[in-house]
Amino acid sequence: MKLKIFLYTDLRIAKEDLFWHRDLGLITKAFRDLGHDAWLVVHPADESTRHPPPVTLQDPVIWASPANVRNPSWWQSQKPDLVIFGLWTRPKYDPIRRAALSATPRVIERADSDGMRTASCGLSTYAQRRYDYFRDRTFGWPAFLSILVSVLYSLASILATPWIEARSAKTLRLLPALTVETPQATQLWKKLAAKIGADPKRIHCIPHPIQTDIFRPDLSIRKKKQIISVGRWESYQKNLPFLLKTLVHFLNKNPDWTAQVVGSGLPSVVPHPRIFFSPPLDSMALALKMQESRLFLSSSRFESFGLAAVEAGACGCLTIAPDFLFAPASLEPFATSAVASPLDFSCVISHFAAMGFRIFALNHATFVPQQVSEAFLFLPLD
C-alpha cells in the first residue's frame, strides 16, 4: 500500500543546501524508492520568501512555515499516513507533535543521541558529556572562560536532572514510538523511560542509513598504506590536536604510510610532510579516498553513531579509536588475528594498540537506506 509520509525537522534550509545524502533527506528518498509518497518538510531559509523554490521529483520537499507545523489544521489538511520527526526529543516541540498526532496516530521520532540524556544514565559520563557539549559550543572563546562556563553548565545540568526528566516524561508519553541509532543508546533510553514512567517498549533501535551505493568496497581500487580521518575539525569534540599528534608519532615510525585528513577547520600549516589536508568532499570523492585507505582514525572525545567511521567501514577500512572514546555501537571490536594476508598490517595495528587505541570493524547491522526506511513501517504504533 502506498503511504503518504512526512519527515519533518526544524531547520531553515536554502534549496541548494537540501541534504538528500544523509539523515531524514536520505530516508525520504529511500521511501520514494520503495514506492511511497514521501516528503521532507523543512522551513525556507529566508522567512520573507513568499514563493519558495518549486517542488520537483528530484527535490521532494514541502516548504512549511513555523506556524504551519504548529497548526493541527495544517497537518489535517495534508492527510499524512505516517510522520517521522527529527526533533531531538526536545520538549519544546511538543506542540508540533500534538498537531501531527491530531492528523494521524502514526508518529515516530528519531533520537540522534548517545543515550546520555540525564544524570540517571551515569553521573560521571553524563557530566563529561555535558561539559564536552558546552565546550564544543564555546570553543572559540578564551580557553579559561570556555572551560569555566562548561564546568558550570555541566554542574547545572546535573542539578536540573529532576526538571529535565519531568519534561522528558511528558514527551516520551506523547510519542507512539521513538527510534535510536545504536543498541547501546537504545538500552540507555529504555532505562530512562522506565525510571520516569514512560513505556520502554515504545523505544526501538533503527540505525542511521548511509549511501551504500557510494560507500562500498571497490576491488578495482588498490588499498594504499594510508590512514583517513574525517570531521568538522573546528569542533572541540573532534579533538584535532590529539589527532595530529597521533598521526605525527605514527608516521615518524612508519615511513611508508601516509595520512589524509578531510574536513573543515583545518590549520594552514601541515605538521608532517606525509599528512595531507583536504576541505570537505562530496560523497563520491570521499568514498574514493576511503576505498583506497586501510584505516580510519577517530580522535573524537565521544560519538553517538559515528557516521564517518561507518562510511569508512563500508569501504573496507578498520577503525582505530582511542580507548577513552565512548565507542559507537555501530562498530564492534576487531580480532587482530583476523587480518587478511593481502592486507597484512598486524604490526601497524599492534602499534596503535600499544598506544592505547582499540581496533573496530563495522558490525553486521544494515545501513542500506531502503532497508532502514522499511524498518519504520513495521514498528508497533499502538
Side-chain angles (χ1 to χ4, degrees):
M1 181 176 67
K2 185 176 183 178
L3 300 177
K4 186 174 185 180
I5 303 171
F6 279 13
L7 299 96
Y8 168 70
T9 186
D10 182 28
L11 293 177
R12 297 186 184 279
I13 300 177
K15 185 177 187 297
E16 60 272 17
D17 295 327
L18 287 168
F19 47 95
W20 302 117
H21 63 291
R22 61 183 175 85
D23 299 331
L24 292 184
L26 185 55
I27 296 174
T28 300
K29 288 292 186 79
F31 273 127
R32 285 189 162 260
D33 291 342
L34 294 172
H36 298 291
D37 185 23
W39 298 88
L40 179 67
V41 182
V42 292
H43 306 307
D46 185 357
E47 285 188 69
S48 65
T49 302
R50 296 181 62 85
H51 302 289
V55 173
T56 66
L57 290 178
Q58 289 71 37
D59 292 325
V61 59
I62 293 176
W63 302 100
S65 71
N68 286 152
V69 296
R70 285 168 172 76
N71 186 345
S73 297
W74 183 83
W75 289 97
Q76 292 163 15
S77 69
Q78 298 296 321
K79 297 182 171 59
D81 298 302
L82 172 65
V83 176
I84 299 175
F85 283 133
L87 294 175
W88 311 284
T89 64
R90 293 176 185 168
K92 72 175 184 178
Y93 294 115
D94 281 354
I96 298 175
R97 297 179 181 105
R98 292 191 185 94
L101 283 164
S102 73
T104 175
R106 298 180 61 80
V107 173
I108 303 168
E109 183 143 347
R110 287 180 69 246
D112 181 12
S113 165
D114 63 3
M116 300 302 301
R117 303 305 296 176
T118 76
S120 297
C121 296
L123 180 59
S124 61
T125 305
Y126 177 73
Q128 184 66 52
R129 272 316 152 271
R130 293 294 86 194
Y131 173 85
D132 290 342
Y133 172 86
F134 209 74
R135 186 86 164 87
D136 195 54
R137 280 148 184 78
T138 61
F139 199 40
W141 298 9
F144 78 93
L145 183 58
S146 175
I147 292 170
L148 175 61
V149 297
S150 299
V151 169
L152 293 175
Y153 179 82
S154 179
L155 291 173
S157 298
I158 293 170
L159 293 174
T161 287
W163 177 75
I164 295 171
E165 291 183 348
R167 295 186 71 204
S168 296
K170 293 179 181 179
T171 298
L172 290 182
R173 292 186 193 122
L174 186 63
L175 289 168
L178 175 72
T179 68
V180 188
E181 293 178 336
T182 67
Q184 183 183 48
T186 302
Q187 290 307 310
L188 288 172
W189 272 101
K190 286 178 175 287
K191 176 183 175 183
L192 177 62
K195 180 181 184 296
I196 63 181
D199 187 357
K201 294 180 181 178
R202 294 186 179 186
I203 300 173
H204 312 272
C205 182
I206 295 181
H208 192 300
I210 65 171
Q211 294 172 287
T212 48
D213 58 328
I214 297 175
F215 294 97
R216 56 186 176 81
D218 188 336
L219 298 180
S220 68
I221 297 175
R222 183 179 64 85
K223 287 283 187 183
K224 302 177 182 178
K225 292 183 176 181
Q226 177 173 286
I227 299 173
I228 187 168
S229 297
V230 181
R232 294 180 301 104
W233 300 109
E234 67 273 19
S235 166
Y236 171 79
Q237 173 203 341
K238 296 300 181 182
N239 206 355
L240 178 63
F242 178 75
L243 176 84
L244 297 179
K245 179 181 177 181
T246 301
L247 287 176
V248 168
H249 182 271
F250 173 78
L251 294 174
N252 283 339
K253 292 182 176 295
N254 296 272
D256 52 345
W257 281 71
T258 60
Q260 295 277 345
V261 183
V262 180
S264 57
L266 290 167
S268 57
V269 178
V270 181
H272 194 281
R274 282 180 283 114
I275 294 177
F276 300 94
F277 287 167
S278 172
L281 301 172
D282 63 44
S283 297
M284 293 292 290
L286 179 59
L288 178 59
K289 284 190 178 293
M290 290 177 168
Q291 287 163 345
E292 66 184 21
S293 300
R294 295 189 179 186
L295 298 173
F296 177 89
L297 176 59
S298 173
S299 58
S300 299
R301 289 177 165 86
F302 70 94
E303 290 284 354
S304 52
F305 179 71
L307 180 60
V310 171
E311 290 172 340
C315 292
C317 295
L318 295 179
T319 291
I320 308 292
D323 194 48
F324 58 74
L325 175 67
F326 189 68
S330 46
L331 306 172
E332 61 187 12
F334 178 79
T336 56
S337 61
V339 178
S341 56
L343 299 180
D344 186 5
F345 50 102
S346 56
C347 60
V348 170
I349 292 178
S350 298
H351 174 94
F352 276 107
M355 293 171 63
F357 284 76
R358 291 181 291 170
I359 297 89
F360 298 92
L362 196 65
N363 67 19
H364 298 295
T366 177
F367 306 107
V368 178
Q370 292 77 12
Q371 294 182 20
V372 170
S373 298
E374 199 167 41
F376 285 99
L377 303 179
F378 292 96
L379 292 181
L381 298 174
D382 299 332

